[in-house]
Amino acid sequence: MVDIFKALSEDSRLRILSLILEGELCVCEIEACLKMTQSNASRHLTVLKKSGILESYKHAQWTYYKISNGFIQENKELWEYLKIKLIKLPSYLSDYEAYQKCKTQELCNCNKRPH
Amino acid sequence: MVDIFKALSEDSRLRILSLILEGELCVCEIEACLKMTQSNASRHLTVLKKSGILESYKHAQWTYYKISNGFIQENKELWEYLKIKLIKLPSYLSDYEAYQKCKTQELCNCNKRPH
DNA sequence: TTCTTATATGCGCATATACTCATACTATAT
DNA sequence: ATATAGTATGAGTATATGCGCATATAAGAA
């Protein structure tokens, strides 16, 4: 329980989650949308994964992160809370715009994703 | 949002909350039930209050802390989550026993509380 | 093979957090 | 006024966390 809250108690990680609500993302997309360094993006995603909130799979060079089904099932109320509150973050509007741009610009080639 | 999660990302503070679910408590009760130093108890309660999760009132020498109504109203889903999960903490059983003992032993005179 | 791309991680630094001890503050009791 | 009880907070210390930089690893492309 503490691990989940620790993972959630950082601005950058909440911003990451607010975008992952829209669907799975790879590290380079986070890096581009949220303008953070690659190592920083990777570390935050690792924290979120270790807490059980995210899960990941690899395809080619890319690691795709998405919300863990197990997390949703075991933390229904918290998940509902996050869905409501994350899109109300002050950063969300501009982050979501950047996310839309990323999608059209295909900054990395990760749109080759299997799903 | 981050402030709430930061306040929740510490074991002692979750234990404090698990007891405050039962009703309001003063600092010396936390101190006695959870066997922490007075300053430690006070600081954790201050963190929880600053995050908006707890509110407090003073009566005589005592400061009583309880869940903030505003917090409950503005964070319904999170509050539901906490009510379910806090009593499942590994520490809860023995903490709750200590809490019961405190109540009967009247360790401090704070049972003179107005409510 | 060698080069490129995407990701993960070791290291060092700066800052944040939690703890203890001592002390200040506040309200009551004598 | 002085003593006592409950609480809050400053100072110092130890640990945790987040960051950038450099590098390692892994998978594809040329």
Side-chain angles (χ1 to χ4, degrees):
Chain A
M1 189 171 186
V2 156
D3 292 328
I4 290 176
F5 287 133
K6 276 196 174 140
L8 293 172
S9 61
E10 216 277 335
D11 282 304
S12 300
R13 288 198 287 272
L14 292 184
R15 291 173 66 202
I16 289 175
L17 282 178
S18 75
L19 291 190
I20 290 190
L21 286 182
E22 297 293 324
E24 64 188 38
L25 288 173
C26 65
V27 182
C28 55
E29 286 172 313
I30 298 288
E31 183 186 346
C33 297
L34 301 185
K35 290 182 186 59
M36 51 176 72
T37 62
Q38 182 273 321
S39 76
N40 205 4
S42 173
R43 273 182 223 273
H44 281 313
L45 287 163
T46 300
V47 171
L48 288 166
K49 184 180 176 182
K50 279 189 177 161
S51 75
I53 298 174
L54 297 185
E55 59 189 22
S56 68
Y57 66 93
K58 296 198 83 168
H59 178 251
Q61 308 100 309
W62 298 282
T63 308
Y64 297 94
Y65 287 88
K66 58 180 175 181
I67 307 290
S68 154
N69 280 323
F71 171 76
I72 293 178
Q73 285 169 18
E74 290 161 30
N75 302 280
K76 286 196 184 68
E77 298 79 12
L78 179 55
W79 172 236
E80 291 305 315
Y81 181 72
L82 289 172
K83 280 195 290 184
I84 294 168
K85 297 289 186 182
L86 285 173
I87 61 174
K88 292 182 182 166
L89 286 176
S91 50
Y92 183 69
L93 230 69
S94 69
D95 286 346
Y96 185 69
E97 274 179 35
Y99 166 78
Q100 296 285 38
K101 259 191 199 166
C102 281
K103 283 238 153 186
T104 52
Q105 288 182 350
E106 303 187 10
L107 276 174
C108 58
N109 292 317
C110 55
N111 292 327
K112 294 176 189 160
R113 53 162 64 76
H115 313 320
Chain B
M1 190 173 186
V2 157
D3 292 328
I4 291 175
F5 287 132
K6 276 197 174 138
L8 293 172
S9 60
E10 216 277 335
D11 282 304
S12 299
R13 288 198 287 271
L14 292 184
R15 291 173 65 201
I16 289 175
L17 282 178
S18 76
L19 291 189
I20 290 190
L21 286 182
E22 298 293 323
E24 64 188 36
L25 289 173
C26 65
V27 182
C28 55
E29 286 172 313
I30 298 289
E31 182 186 347
C33 297
L34 301 185
K35 291 180 186 60
M36 50 176 73
T37 62
Q38 182 274 320
S39 76
N40 204 4
S42 173
R43 276 180 219 276
H44 282 312
L45 287 163
T46 301
V47 171
L48 287 166
K49 183 181 176 182
K50 280 190 178 163
S51 76
I53 298 174
L54 296 185
E55 58 188 24
S56 68
Y57 66 92
K58 296 199 84 168
H59 178 252
Q61 309 100 307
W62 298 281
T63 308
Y64 298 94
Y65 287 88
K66 57 180 174 180
I67 306 290
S68 155
N69 280 324
F71 171 76
I72 293 178
Q73 284 169 19
E74 291 161 30
N75 302 280
K76 286 196 183 70
E77 298 79 12
L78 179 56
W79 172 238
E80 291 305 316
Y81 181 73
L82 289 171
K83 280 194 293 185
I84 295 168
K85 297 290 186 181
L86 286 172
I87 61 173
K88 292 182 182 166
L89 286 176
S91 49
Y92 182 69
L93 229 70
S94 70
D95 286 346
Y96 185 70
E97 273 178 36
Y99 166 79
Q100 298 283 41
K101 258 190 199 168
C102 281
K103 284 240 150 183
T104 54
Q105 288 182 350
E106 303 188 12
L107 277 174
C108 57
N109 293 317
C110 55
N111 292 325
K112 295 174 190 161
R113 54 163 63 76
H115 312 320

